[in-house]
Amino acid sequence: MLLTSVFGPYAQDDEFGSRSMNPMELYHNQVTRAQGAFSLRMFHRSWGIMMIQANISVPCTVLDFPTRQAFARELAGNQYDVVGISSIIVNVGKVREMCRMVRQLSPRSVIVVGGHVAAIPRLENMIDADHIVRGEGIQWMRTYLGEDAGARIRHPEIVSGLHTRILGVRLPDREGATAATIIPSVGCPMGCNFCTTSAFFGGKGKFVNFFETGDELFEVMERLETSLKVQTFFVMDENFLLHRERAMQLLSRMKRAGKSWGLAVFASANAVRKYTMRELVELGISWVWMGLESPRSSYSKLHGADTRRVTRELREHGIRVQGSTIIGLEHHTNDNIAAEIDYAVAHETDFHQFMLYTPVPGTPLYQEMSAQGRMLEQIDLADIHGQDKFNFHHASIPREDSKRLLDWAFRHDFEQNGPSLFRMCGTLLQGWLRYKHDPDARVRERFAREATNLKTSYSAMLWAMEKRCWSGNRRIAEQIRLLRREVEKEFGKTARIAARVGGPLLSWTVRREERRLRRGVTYEPPTFLERTHWSQAESC
């Protein structure tokens, strides 16, 4: 079996639907895209096909981020019974081409297509595939292969990010330096009408749990801690903190084992409020990705939550906050949208995602807009990624204004709050100062580990950001200077030397990166080829 993501390039315009404005970089694409050389850049593996590979017993190859040529070579060089192609909706053109290539180069192969692309209505008329899998793929593939669909889930070893770049410097991919990804469940029971993930895995009130208990999670995390040499985990669960019993059981196990793990999680504001700050800190929550949407939105995840207060409290306790705001909700108008964006920016989150309100196939919002006759015709599926223009008739905001408003939201956040990396350093320092003498050894250990970079590389980073911001945004430059001096006061000679030695070097790499970006340089992920149970195939 061959499991593959779609072929590249991913940050260039091509005949198969790639868009230069929609790169395969989550943070740079949706969060820090207006921050230039200060943008956080990294790639993330295709976790779905990695999960399927780890949970089937047949000889299997994962080909992740292939070139078109590499995909062709793999098809021609091996006799695959099944070729599985995973994709998101915007890459449907590449899925179509890959199906054509399979028919030509490996005509005996059964073609299975899955991922969010499967939500496209009448997809079977657009691509030449034998099976289209809608929803969770592990159980489907096990059933198709005649294996035990209800067998215990085996979690693969996943490093959360790769080829990270900050301030024009590619960070080394050192063992243990990057968090491991763990996927407790898929779907979200909150069921926001625009949410593709919730809709794809069952909709409002439904989700698929891979690990029901905190005990199960602990065992997986302990194994990944050993194999990947990690102390931090990116928990890929749409609303991890909503499941309080599981989270508290995990905390109990962490306490008994003396684990000082750090957890980056997704959580709604009302889920965060189920915990005291002390519980969050002891659980190791170090990063929260939280939907803020709008003070006038009706989403249940925000009911009764003062999101600005929640954000402030989290950061005061050293927990970095990734906010998320939708531009173009039904109540937005040209008269009130600036105030709504101001409200979002006033949260002063460490990072902030802005996305257009987008009816995506498969979601309740898409069904509503289609029923109302408000979907725009002739909009290429490759252009509904939420970072371009509306794909529907908004009641008050013209389509051409949507991109302008979205771009302004990113710029406004950057101008008001400065580089996200600077904000993150401020949150780290607050956490260190509050908990460096905590009576819980686990808590002390985690905050000491997270503060390590403040005295070295982050001090240099602050120096470089201060110098580069001085001419363009002196108010932010002065805030960065104040933070840098607080860091130097706290960490002494080490931080001062790091700033004065490493700072000028990073200032130079920032200028070099700015020149590269002006020339239109883009970045692409490397290709991965991984085989399991392959000796079985060779012996056949």
Side-chain angles (χ1 to χ4, degrees), residues 91-108:
N91 288 320
V92 64
K94 294 190 174 185
V95 174
R96 183 188 302 114
E97 172 62 8
M98 293 175 82
C99 289
R100 186 198 67 79
M101 293 172 67
V102 175
R103 296 299 189 214
Q104 178 184 26
L105 299 172
S106 186
R108 294 177 55 189

Side-chain angles (χ1 to χ4, degrees), residues 170-189:
R170 159 83 185 280
L171 302 185
D173 294 324
R174 293 184 293 104
E175 185 179 59
T178 305
T181 292
I182 184 167
I183 307 174
S185 67
V186 289
C188 179

Side-chain angles (χ1 to χ4, degrees), residues 224-237:
L224 296 181
E225 175 190 36
T226 300
S227 60
L228 296 177
K229 305 295 188 294
V230 296
Q231 293 290 313
T232 55
F233 298 87
F234 174 60
V235 185
M236 186 59 233
D237 185 301

Side-chain angles (χ1 to χ4, degrees), residues 31-50:
V31 183
T32 57
R33 65 184 307 152
Q35 299 187 23
F38 300 137
S39 181
L40 176 61
R41 312 194 65 153
M42 68 175 68
F43 300 101
H44 302 281
R45 291 289 306 276
S46 301
W47 298 332
I49 55 177
M50 295 177 72

Side-chain angles (χ1 to χ4, degrees), residues 39-148:
S39 181
L40 176 61
R41 312 194 65 153
M42 68 175 68
F43 300 101
H44 302 281
R45 291 289 306 276
S46 301
W47 298 332
I49 55 177
M50 295 177 72
M51 288 286 288
I52 294 174
Q53 182 188 41
N55 285 278
I56 56 177
S57 60
V58 303
C60 182
T61 296
V62 158
L63 183 61
D64 206 3
F65 310 131
T67 62
R68 190 164 173 267
Q69 294 73 22
F71 179 60
R73 284 196 303 271
E74 191 62 27
L75 290 175
N78 298 280
Q79 296 181 357
Y80 286 109
D81 299 302
V82 179
V83 176
I85 303 168
S86 177
S87 173
I88 57 176
I89 289 173
V90 294
N91 288 320
V92 64
K94 294 190 174 185
V95 174
R96 183 188 302 114
E97 172 62 8
M98 293 175 82
C99 289
R100 186 198 67 79
M101 293 172 67
V102 175
R103 296 299 189 214
Q104 178 184 26
L105 299 172
S106 186
R108 294 177 55 189
S109 298
V110 172
I111 302 175
V112 180
V113 171
H116 285 280
V117 70
I120 297 175
R122 298 175 296 281
L123 178 64
E124 60 275 10
N125 298 328
M126 302 171 62
I127 63 174
D128 183 10
D130 297 293
H131 302 282
I132 296 174
V133 180
R134 295 177 171 88
E136 196 277 300
I138 296 174
Q139 185 177 47
W140 188 96
M141 191 62 74
R142 283 173 164 175
T143 300
Y144 175 75
L145 296 173
E147 300 184 11
D148 182 1

Side-chain angles (χ1 to χ4, degrees), residues 161-178:
L162 56 111
H163 282 208
T164 303
R165 297 180 67 89
I166 57 173
L167 276 63
V169 177
R170 159 83 185 280
L171 302 185
D173 294 324
R174 293 184 293 104
E175 185 179 59
T178 305

Side-chain angles (χ1 to χ4, degrees), residues 97-352:
E97 172 62 8
M98 293 175 82
C99 289
R100 186 198 67 79
M101 293 172 67
V102 175
R103 296 299 189 214
Q104 178 184 26
L105 299 172
S106 186
R108 294 177 55 189
S109 298
V110 172
I111 302 175
V112 180
V113 171
H116 285 280
V117 70
I120 297 175
R122 298 175 296 281
L123 178 64
E124 60 275 10
N125 298 328
M126 302 171 62
I127 63 174
D128 183 10
D130 297 293
H131 302 282
I132 296 174
V133 180
R134 295 177 171 88
E136 196 277 300
I138 296 174
Q139 185 177 47
W140 188 96
M141 191 62 74
R142 283 173 164 175
T143 300
Y144 175 75
L145 296 173
E147 300 184 11
D148 182 1
R152 186 175 182 178
I153 295 295
R154 296 183 293 273
H155 201 290
E157 297 178 358
I158 305 175
V159 176
S160 64
L162 56 111
H163 282 208
T164 303
R165 297 180 67 89
I166 57 173
L167 276 63
V169 177
R170 159 83 185 280
L171 302 185
D173 294 324
R174 293 184 293 104
E175 185 179 59
T178 305
T181 292
I182 184 167
I183 307 174
S185 67
V186 289
C188 179
M190 303 305 292
C192 296
N193 66 340
F194 57 81
C195 181
T196 58
T197 305
S198 176
F200 193 70
F201 294 105
K204 190 176 182 67
K206 298 179 181 179
F207 57 96
V208 179
N209 255 350
F210 294 140
F211 305 102
E212 296 282 351
T213 68
D215 288 329
E216 292 175 315
L217 274 183
F218 180 85
E219 291 172 6
V220 173
M221 295 166 72
E222 190 172 45
R223 175 171 60 81
L224 296 181
E225 175 190 36
T226 300
S227 60
L228 296 177
K229 305 295 188 294
V230 296
Q231 293 290 313
T232 55
F233 298 87
F234 174 60
V235 185
M236 186 59 233
D237 185 301
E238 290 294 316
N239 206 336
F240 177 71
L241 294 179
L242 191 63
H243 310 286
R244 179 176 167 84
E245 182 178 355
R246 183 176 64 183
M248 296 307 289
Q249 190 177 64
L250 174 61
L251 172 57
S252 177
R253 290 293 302 274
M254 288 171 60
K255 284 183 173 181
R256 293 205 303 268
K259 300 297 185 182
S260 63
W261 295 334
L263 281 65
V265 303
F266 292 81
S268 57
N270 66 351
V272 171
R273 293 174 64 246
K274 294 176 181 288
Y275 302 78
T276 65
M277 284 295 158
R278 185 66 198 180
E279 288 172 333
L280 293 174
V281 167
E282 290 186 351
L283 184 56
I285 303 301
S286 60
W287 189 301
V288 173
W289 189 312
M290 183 170 61
L292 304 176
E293 318 317 349
S294 162
R296 295 174 56 189
S297 68
S298 59
Y299 297 113
S300 59
K301 64 185 181 182
L302 298 173
H303 284 176
D306 181 343
T307 53
R308 281 191 286 192
R309 178 180 176 182
V310 171
T311 299
R312 183 178 65 253
E313 289 180 347
L314 288 169
R315 296 190 71 201
E316 287 173 349
H317 289 265
I319 301 173
R320 286 147 283 176
V321 179
Q322 160 81 64
S324 181
T325 296
I326 302 297
I327 305 296
L329 294 169
E330 292 283 15
H331 70 272
H332 284 164
T333 68
N334 277 322
D335 292 331
N336 68 24
I337 187 64
E340 293 268 311
I341 293 172
D342 278 335
Y343 171 82
V345 170
H347 283 75
E348 297 181 326
T349 57
D350 298 271
F351 293 81
H352 209 124

